[in-house]
Amino acid sequence: MSDLINNYKNFLNNGKTERECAKQIIELAEKNGYKDLTSVSSVKPGDKVYIQKMNKAVALFELGTEPLEKGLNVLGAHIDSPRLDIKQNPLYEKDFVVYLNTHYYGGIKKYQWVAMPLALHGVICTKDGKTVNVCLGEDESEPVFVISDILPHLAQKQMKETASDFIPGENLDLIVGSENPVKDSKEKEAAKKNILKLLKEKYGIEEEDFGSAELEVVPAGKSRDLGLDRSLILAYGQDDRSCAFTSAQALFDSKAGKKTLCCLCVDKEEIGSVGATGMASHFFENAVAELVARTENGFSELTVRRCLANCSMLSSDVNAAYDPMNADLFDKNNASFLGGGIVFNKYTGSRGKSGASDANPEFIAALRKVLDENSVKYQMAELGKVDQGGGGTIAYLAAKYGMNVLDAGVSVLSMHAPWEITSRFDIEQAYEAYKAFLTL
């Protein structure tokens, strides 16, 4: 399994945005014989195809021998992660320090993002149709960026405020440059002009091009083995790329029998699965329709609806790992543990299961059977104690079609922090579980 873990860590290192993840998944798919669905006119059993949306969502299919209306076995994950996004008019100078203005994306603790090295990833699109790829701060020879914090000597007022308030969102601005106040005091915004000059030289862009950019601020650095025994992995974005990678790899290493197999990787889960690339869009439905249209019998809306309703899906998403330092937040008998294997959540949601997807026990029993037959280690769990809060996944959006859906993923400690912790064993068991599920 060492190859799996090494490939996983490389995937994380090269996939710190949803675009970078989608690109890697498509490249891996093509190496495994998958073709762009839009480039083929017909499909038959054994064919491998993919379709993508806006470079941020991907659906992969390997066709089985059964008619599509019998449903698919689907592994569904999301490839976006909490981060900071650069605003559309971001660049400004304040007292000889140059900043990029940000807007945080997803559920973060703002104080975790200050005083640590950060990198810039994304694209800048210009009016002449050029797309400029940006990746700054990952190579040791490159500069990094940072959000400054108040020194403890002057932080008496800050330390009295609540954790959600002592660093306002508008203060999460990225330092990208500075100038000597004595040297440049006679020239207005000399530091900002210098940064614009450097951007022009490196990327050929003007300040106005930030208006059509998609730039993300992420922790700088590579994933690392954690612990003297190397049993854990420390990395950014393991929610939910740990499940996206293992789902895709499980599909590549499987062979369709009767059922058509699918791996679905979508965007925007961290902000409600919205937009054209989120699970709440029609991307998956449209992808299935395109697949049906290329079968021998041609397009039928009834076939599409029957296909979606008859699917079995694992919503491949992470769960909170039991934290011994904060044990009072968990019902220990219903918690997931690092090293306990893949985690199944019968239901998600908040408090009284608000916003939950609640899986049918018949589906869970069938899954337990195939996992036991394949000696896969798994655990059943909830996110935390009932009154502590909760969370959701893409499961409820898939369930609206009438399919069987169960949340299944990896335990994560420090979830949504810039650096998250998982178990190597759990990554391996997730991969094995996803492969076993595809045989149902």
Side-chain angles (χ1 to χ4, degrees), residues 354-403:
S354 176
S357 175
D358 202 337
N360 283 338
E362 293 89 346
F363 179 47
I364 300 174
L367 185 62
R368 288 175 55 214
K369 181 175 185 294
V370 74
L371 294 184
D372 287 341
E373 289 173 348
N374 286 274
S375 302
V376 178
K377 182 73 172 178
Y378 61 91
Q379 48 189 326
M380 309 291 291
E382 296 181 3
L383 185 65
K385 282 186 176 178
V386 175
D387 286 336
Q388 289 299 327
T393 65
I394 65 171
Y396 78 101
L397 293 164
K400 71 180 181 180
Y401 294 113
M403 67 177 73

Side-chain angles (χ1 to χ4, degrees), residues 30-340:
E30 291 178 341
K31 287 180 181 178
N32 282 275
Y34 285 73
K35 297 180 180 179
D36 189 336
L37 182 59
T38 63
S39 70
V40 301
S41 58
S42 63
V43 294
K44 62 184 184 303
D47 284 352
K48 301 176 181 181
V49 292
Y50 71 86
I51 190 167
Q52 63 90 19
K53 183 69 174 178
M54 296 180 177
N55 302 311
K56 291 184 278 189
V58 186
L60 309 160
F61 303 94
E62 182 178 351
L63 276 82
T65 57
E66 280 188 345
L68 288 176
E69 68 176 28
K70 297 291 188 180
L72 322 173
N73 284 350
V74 184
L75 294 169
H78 68 89
I79 50 177
D80 61 313
S81 295
R83 59 178 189 259
L84 306 177
D85 285 342
I86 299 299
K87 290 185 179 181
Q88 276 61 61
N89 297 296
L91 193 65
Y92 70 95
E93 179 180 340
K94 190 171 185 179
D95 298 327
F96 304 102
V97 178
V98 186
Y99 297 90
L100 283 175
N101 205 341
T102 73
H103 189 135
Y104 59 87
Y105 172 100
I108 69 168
K109 292 179 177 178
K110 291 173 284 186
Y111 63 82
Q112 293 179 329
W113 287 78
V114 301
M116 67 178 299
L118 299 168
L120 267 177
H121 290 240
V123 295
I124 301 171
C125 300
T126 60
K127 290 188 295 183
D128 61 2
K130 181 174 62 176
T131 297
V132 181
N133 290 306
V134 176
C135 181
L136 262 179
E138 298 294 352
D139 191 281
E140 289 186 0
S141 65
E142 295 174 340
V144 292
F145 310 95
V146 76
I147 299 164
S148 63
D149 196 10
I150 301 173
L151 66 162
H153 313 70
L154 301 178
Q156 287 84 352
K157 180 178 181 295
Q158 182 193 54
M159 298 295 282
K160 294 176 182 177
E161 295 175 344
T162 62
S164 61
D165 296 329
F166 71 75
I167 298 178
E170 293 297 340
N171 285 6
L172 291 175
D173 289 356
L174 204 64
I175 295 177
V176 296
S178 69
E179 276 295 339
N180 187 320
V182 176
K183 173 185 173 184
D184 296 294
S185 59
K186 295 181 181 179
E187 184 178 358
K188 186 178 180 181
E189 294 192 324
K192 176 182 174 181
K193 291 175 182 177
N194 185 51
I195 295 299
L196 286 171
K197 178 185 175 184
L198 293 172
L199 290 171
K200 179 71 172 179
E201 291 173 353
K202 185 172 181 63
Y203 296 114
I205 62 167
E206 306 290 347
E207 183 174 4
E208 293 76 13
D209 293 325
F210 280 113
S212 52
E214 189 174 77
L215 296 172
E216 302 176 13
V217 181
V218 298
K222 296 183 177 181
S223 58
R224 301 288 297 273
D225 292 337
L226 174 61
L228 289 173
D229 57 1
R230 297 179 181 267
S231 61
L232 305 173
I233 298 170
L234 181 70
Y236 166 69
Q238 297 196 79
D239 175 11
D240 183 37
R241 292 162 189 155
S242 59
C243 299
F245 171 80
T246 47
S247 292
Q249 193 62 55
L251 179 64
F252 299 147
D253 294 342
S254 298
K255 184 174 178 59
K258 291 182 179 180
K259 286 283 186 183
T260 291
L261 309 181
C262 173
C263 176
L264 176 66
C265 296
V266 292
D267 182 24
K268 299 292 189 291
E269 192 275 345
E270 297 295 356
I271 57 171
S273 295
V274 297
T277 53
M279 191 63 190
S281 73
H282 292 290
F283 169 62
F284 181 50
E285 184 179 335
N286 290 343
V288 171
E290 292 286 355
L291 195 66
V292 170
R294 288 165 172 77
T295 59
E296 184 178 356
N297 295 326
F299 177 77
S300 162
E301 184 174 349
L302 184 58
T303 298
V304 172
R305 291 185 178 276
R306 284 175 175 170
C307 176
L308 293 168
N310 290 326
C311 286
S312 295
M313 176 175 172
L314 291 185
S315 173
S316 307
D317 207 341
V318 299
N319 190 58
Y322 177 79
D323 184 354
M325 302 302 293
N326 295 282
D328 59 322
L329 300 176
F330 298 86
D331 171 3
K332 194 171 182 179
N333 290 332
N334 289 283
S336 63
F337 293 81
L338 291 173

Side-chain angles (χ1 to χ4, degrees), residues 381-427:
E382 296 181 3
L383 185 65
K385 282 186 176 178
V386 175
D387 286 336
Q388 289 299 327
T393 65
I394 65 171
Y396 78 101
L397 293 164
K400 71 180 181 180
Y401 294 113
M403 67 177 73
N404 275 311
V405 187
L406 175 64
D407 282 294
V410 175
S411 291
V412 177
L413 197 61
S414 300
M415 188 192 298
H416 282 214
W419 296 100
E420 298 172 319
I421 301 167
T422 60
S423 160
R424 293 170 65 102
F425 178 76
D426 293 344
I427 300 296

